């Protein structure tokens, strides 16, 4: 048999070895060709009496990274076209039939009458993991990097090829729900303890052990196809089942506020499917999958969190014609919390780092931060002592600026003060080598104004990290008016080398992310001054899809820093540039009450001593409110919308101001940078999926009621009049990207 994506060979014992190896790709994915060929392999091996069993494996480092989501996006486009041409019934039927393909092929493996073994040599996620679950036996090669899981929920989908039915038939329902609703992958030890794999063997023995199981009389029947099969958690309507599902529903609502159709579908699939025979259960799963695939949430999340993010990670914004760059040695000037964290993630990526500060003691503190982070990982078993020693050996702490002479990239992370930064640049510039790039990690000061202190502005750029650097995946790269292509290419190559997602923005006060998120924080302050109860402010923000409430976020950023930014903006642009009522509130909290936020355990919230309970809203807050509104008279939906609209309208302004020049970056940046409701697909997708006309009407409604912060920019008004979308008017330059869940 000859196939494009699979190699097929049969040994003397009649055992077929099917090796997955898609040409020209670093990872196998479930694409149209793979499914067609797998279907044919199942048919031929089932019909061939000489074949005693089948082993499926991969010749790549990973087994399979999941389904090709661009294929699913194509199915959605076909559906939209059929909907127009043939109506809803016909379009639904075609989408349902297409959606079931994977599920039916995998079920045909299970019912082929021939024993199938999955020989898992590495990572197996999403549809790739679902293939292994449909095999009768699962053998995994020892590999500390291997992870198995179903991450579909993270892009607005759920496992639609049997995952919601097979997992809860293998593991207890609580564990099954964790795997399905959180989408987190597990290591081999955890997978083995859950019976998701049967055995872990040395890599060299993988195929032999798989074949031996077949030769030893391995059964070609799935447990749930055997008479008398019992669910690991007992029947749905048993005592254990009734403890699980009502509580599961409550937890699901608490975690998602019903914003994610896929999460609700998972709950329904498992609950309904476990009451049915497997074939009927798989049909139920396919129906829900078809329904979710038609949702705007799935379309938005697939586009932003998968396709766009991959394109940006693969260098969609990198200037063409600039050869690849490699930062071998990095200097970070300013070894405070931010600078030390940048040094840590860089050293972790294999880059030699020098941490420079005003004196040796301060520099050493920066290195000590890196040690504490990696020590924590060692203590949790997530890193080995040898890895810690290697990482720390890459970091040098010093007060001597002369070490800059052989650095490829220098990142300044000193105090947010123009004079301090100017002094740093004056000291550093004479020591830089000819092709070195210099970057500022400023979060508030415009890059163009900082670049005035720099002789060669072509090599000056902004690289803005988000705190905590170790966890936050976004980095904003800020172009000054004179920044050159070499500086941009170096910054992008460096950000990709440390495993972060870059977005490229033009200079502006607050750039992109801070402009939007400061609107979110300010809206919380507005509601507070209007008299909305503080708990209601926080809860409605989370109901809208934000990860934390605006008052809590103010505390995390630090109230004294917020006040400092207000004062700096006022000094630069005059008293009308800031909201004086907000400043008065911050002066009261910071200067009169001594409440700086989480850092001194006092802000909008009171923070307990470490390990002694949860934070709670400060009891004195209501005394600072000029008036108090009755919560029963407030429109919860309107409060939720205000939080999202105020950020989205600011994002639209950044497009009009040419701060954002690629719509993908606004969407990806808003979700990764400040947690803008992921189910919307990001700030601009939120507008597109609502419809620009409807969004502008909402803006005008809020403008009349609450003020000019909701005034839509001229660009948006013009787009609404023409019925345009952001992705339609500003289509991103598409690149061919590998697609995998």
């Amino acid at each position: 048999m000859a196939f494009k994506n699979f190699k097929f060979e049969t040994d003397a014992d009649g055992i077929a070895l099917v090796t997955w190896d898609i040409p020209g790709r670093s990872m196998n994915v479930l694409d149209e060709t793979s499914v067609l060929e797998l279907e044919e392999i199942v048919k031929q091996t089932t019909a061939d009496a000489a074949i005693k069993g089948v082993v499926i494996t991969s010749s790549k480092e990973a087994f399979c990274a999941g389904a090709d989501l661009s294929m699913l996006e194509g199915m959605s486009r076909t559906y939209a076209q059929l909907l127009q041409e043939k109506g809803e019934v016909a379009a639904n039927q075609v989408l349902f039939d297409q959606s079931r393909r994977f599920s039916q092929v995998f079920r045909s493996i299970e019912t082929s009458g021939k024993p199938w073994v999955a020989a898992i040599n590495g990572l197996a996620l999403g549809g790739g993991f679902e293939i292994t679950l449909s095999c009768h036996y699962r053998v995994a090669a020892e590999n500390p990097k291997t992870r198995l899981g179903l991450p579909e929920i993270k892009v607005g989908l759920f496992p639609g090829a049997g995952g919601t039915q097979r997992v809860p038939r293998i593991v207890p329902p609580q564990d099954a729900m964790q795997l399905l609703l959180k989408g987190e992958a597990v290591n081999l030890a955890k997978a083995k303890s859950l019976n998701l794999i049967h055995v872990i063997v040395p890599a060299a023995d993988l195929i032999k052990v798989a074949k031996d199981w077949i030769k030893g009389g391995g059964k070609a029947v799935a447990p749930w196809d055997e008479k008398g099969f019992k669910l690991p958690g007992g029947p749905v309507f048993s005592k254990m089942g009734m403890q699980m599902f009502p509580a599961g529903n409550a937890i699901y609502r608490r975690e998602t506020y019903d914003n994610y159709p896929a999460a609700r579908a998972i709950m329904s699939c498992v609950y309904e499917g476990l009451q049915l025979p497997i074939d009927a259960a798989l049909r139920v799963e396919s129906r829900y999958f078809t329904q979710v695939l038609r949702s705007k949430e799935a379309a938005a999340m697939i586009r932003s969190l998968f396709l766009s993010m991959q394109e940006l990670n693969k260098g969609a914004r990198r200037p063409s014609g600039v050869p690849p760059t490699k930062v071998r040695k990095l200097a970070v000037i300013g070894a405070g919390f931010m600078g030390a964290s940048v040094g840590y993630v860089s050293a972790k990526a294999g880059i030699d780092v020098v941490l420079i500060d005003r004196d040796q003691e301060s520099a050493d503190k920066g290195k000590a931060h890196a040690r504490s982070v990696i020590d924590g990982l060692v203590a949790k078993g997530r890193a080995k002592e040898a890895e810690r020693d290697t990482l720390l050996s890459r970091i040098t702490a010093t007060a001597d600026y002369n070490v800059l002479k052989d650095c490829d990239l220098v990142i300044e992370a000193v105090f947010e003060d123009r004079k301090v930064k100017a002094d740093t640049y004056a000291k550093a510039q004479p020591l830089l080598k000819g092709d070195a790039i210099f970057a500022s990690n400023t979060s508030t000061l415009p890059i163009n104004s900082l670049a005035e202190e720099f002789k060669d502005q072509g090599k000056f750029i902004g690289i803005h990290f988000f705190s905590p650097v170790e966890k936050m995946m976004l980095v904003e790269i800020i172009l000054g008016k004179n920044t050159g292509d070499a500086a941009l290419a170096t910054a992008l190559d460096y950000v990709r080398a440390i495993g972060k997602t870059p977005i490229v923005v033009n200079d502006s006060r607050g750039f992109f992310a801070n402009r939007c998120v400061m609107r979110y924080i300010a809206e919380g302050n507005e509601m507070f001054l209007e008299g909305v109860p503080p708990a209601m402010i926080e809860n409605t923000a989370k109901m809208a899809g934000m990860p934390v409430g605006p008052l809590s976020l103010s505390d995390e950023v630090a109230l004294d820093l917020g006040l400092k930014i207000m004062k700096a903006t006022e000094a630069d642009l005059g008293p009308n540039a800031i909201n004086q009522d907000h400043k008065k509130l911050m002066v009261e909290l910071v200067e009169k009450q001594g409440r700086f936020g989480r850092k001194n355990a006092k802000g909008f919230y009171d923070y307990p001593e470490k390990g002694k309970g949860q934070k709670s809203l400060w009891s004195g807050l209501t005394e600072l409110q000029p008036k108090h509104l009755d919560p029963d008279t407030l429109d919860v939906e309107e409060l939720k919308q205000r939080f999202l609209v105020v950020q989205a309208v600011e994002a639209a302004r950044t497009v009009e101001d040419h701060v954002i020049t690629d719509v993908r970056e606004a969407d990806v940046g808003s979700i990764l940078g400040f947690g803008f409701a992921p189910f919307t697909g990001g700030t601009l997708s939120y507008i597109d999926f609502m419809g620009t006309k409807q969004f502008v009407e909402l803006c005008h409604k809020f403008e009349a009621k609450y003020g000019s912060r909701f005034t839509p920019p001229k660009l948006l008004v013009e787009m609404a009049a023409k019925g345009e979308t952001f992705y339609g008017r500003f289509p991103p330059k598409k690149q061919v990207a590998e697609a995998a869940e």
Side-chain angles (χ1 to χ4, degrees), residues 19 42 54 220 226 307 428 454 458 470 556 663 688 735 739:
T19 307
V42 178
V54 183
E226 295 205 72
L307 299 171
F454 212 79
E470 293 88 354
E556 295 294 336
V663 289
D688 275 6
Q735 289 194 335

Side-chain angles (χ1 to χ4, degrees), residues 23-40:
R25 297 193 87 140
S26 58
M27 280 197 183
N28 294 320
V29 292
L30 267 171
D31 56 10
E32 192 64 41
T33 305
S34 292
V35 177
L36 276 169
E37 292 188 352
L38 192 57
E39 187 174 31
E40 188 54 35

Side-chain angles (χ1 to χ4, degrees), residues 705-740:
K705 204 168 175 182
Y706 300 109
S708 62
R709 64 187 182 276
F710 288 104
T711 306
K714 282 180 187 172
L715 169 69
L716 199 50
V717 173
E718 183 190 308
M719 287 170 62
K722 294 179 182 175
E724 291 177 326
T725 63
F726 279 100
Y727 279 79
R729 179 157 175 162
F730 307 103
K733 212 163 50 175
K734 287 288 175 191
Q735 289 194 335
V736 178
E738 283 192 15

Side-chain angles (χ1 to χ4, degrees), residues 61-288:
E61 201 174 307
F63 180 80
C64 172
D68 180 347
L69 291 190
S70 55
M71 178 179 68
L72 296 183
E73 195 191 33
M75 283 163 58
S76 297
R77 282 197 301 270
T78 304
Y79 171 77
Q81 194 179 335
L82 284 169
L83 195 61
Q84 275 188 326
E85 294 171 4
K86 297 189 177 177
E88 192 172 2
V89 174
N92 285 350
Q93 186 62 54
V94 169
L95 189 62
F96 177 70
D97 292 341
Q98 285 182 321
S99 300
R100 287 206 75 196
R101 286 281 310 292
F102 288 7
S103 185
Q104 287 173 317
V105 172
F106 296 175
R107 180 63 176 150
S108 70
I109 288 173
E110 211 163 52
T111 58
S112 65
K114 302 282 173 83
W116 276 64
V117 182
I120 305 164
N121 58 306
L123 186 87
L125 298 177
F129 185 43
E130 285 177 293
I131 288 179
T132 72
L133 294 175
S134 68
C135 292
H136 306 104
Y137 196 65
R138 294 173 290 282
V139 185
E142 285 173 355
N143 182 347
K145 290 182 181 175
T146 295
R147 294 291 181 273
L148 309 175
L150 300 163
E152 289 90 341
I153 191 76
K154 294 180 179 181
V155 289
L157 291 171
F158 69 91
T164 68
Q165 300 311 312
R166 292 189 179 95
V167 169
R169 282 170 169 78
I170 295 170
V171 304
Q174 288 91 337
D175 293 315
M177 286 306 193
Q178 287 281 325
L179 287 164
L180 294 165
L181 287 169
K182 288 198 167 179
E184 288 168 3
V186 296
N187 62 22
L188 289 179
K190 177 76 173 169
K192 172 81 166 59
S193 72
L194 291 170
N195 204 32
L196 291 167
I197 53 174
H198 295 100
V199 65
I200 304 167
V201 300
D205 299 337
L206 181 67
I207 304 303
K208 181 184 181 301
V209 171
K211 287 184 172 184
D212 284 349
W213 182 80
I214 294 170
K215 284 192 268 187
K219 231 178 180 184
V221 183
W224 37 88
D225 285 323
E226 295 205 72
K227 199 175 175 183
F229 169 71
K230 287 185 169 54
L231 292 166
V236 167
F237 288 102
S238 66
K239 187 179 176 184
M240 191 172 169
M242 293 318 290
Q243 284 175 344
M244 158 66 198
F245 285 99
N249 262 328
I251 293 166
Y252 145 75
R253 290 289 302 229
R254 184 190 71 196
E255 297 293 321
T256 70
Y257 294 99
D258 224 6
N259 286 322
Y260 296 85
R264 174 182 273 260
I266 286 170
M267 294 294 296
S268 299
C269 275
V270 175
Y271 177 75
E272 293 172 30
L274 291 185
Q275 299 177 61
L276 299 166
I278 188 73
D279 286 304
L282 291 170
R283 277 198 305 278
V284 165
E285 180 189 72
S286 293
R287 287 198 181 105
Y288 277 109

Side-chain angles (χ1 to χ4, degrees), residues 605-619:
Y605 285 79
D606 281 324
Y607 296 84
E609 285 180 46
K610 207 169 185 183
K612 291 191 178 176
Q614 292 184 317
K615 68 181 183 182
S616 56
L617 284 160
W618 175 42
S619 57

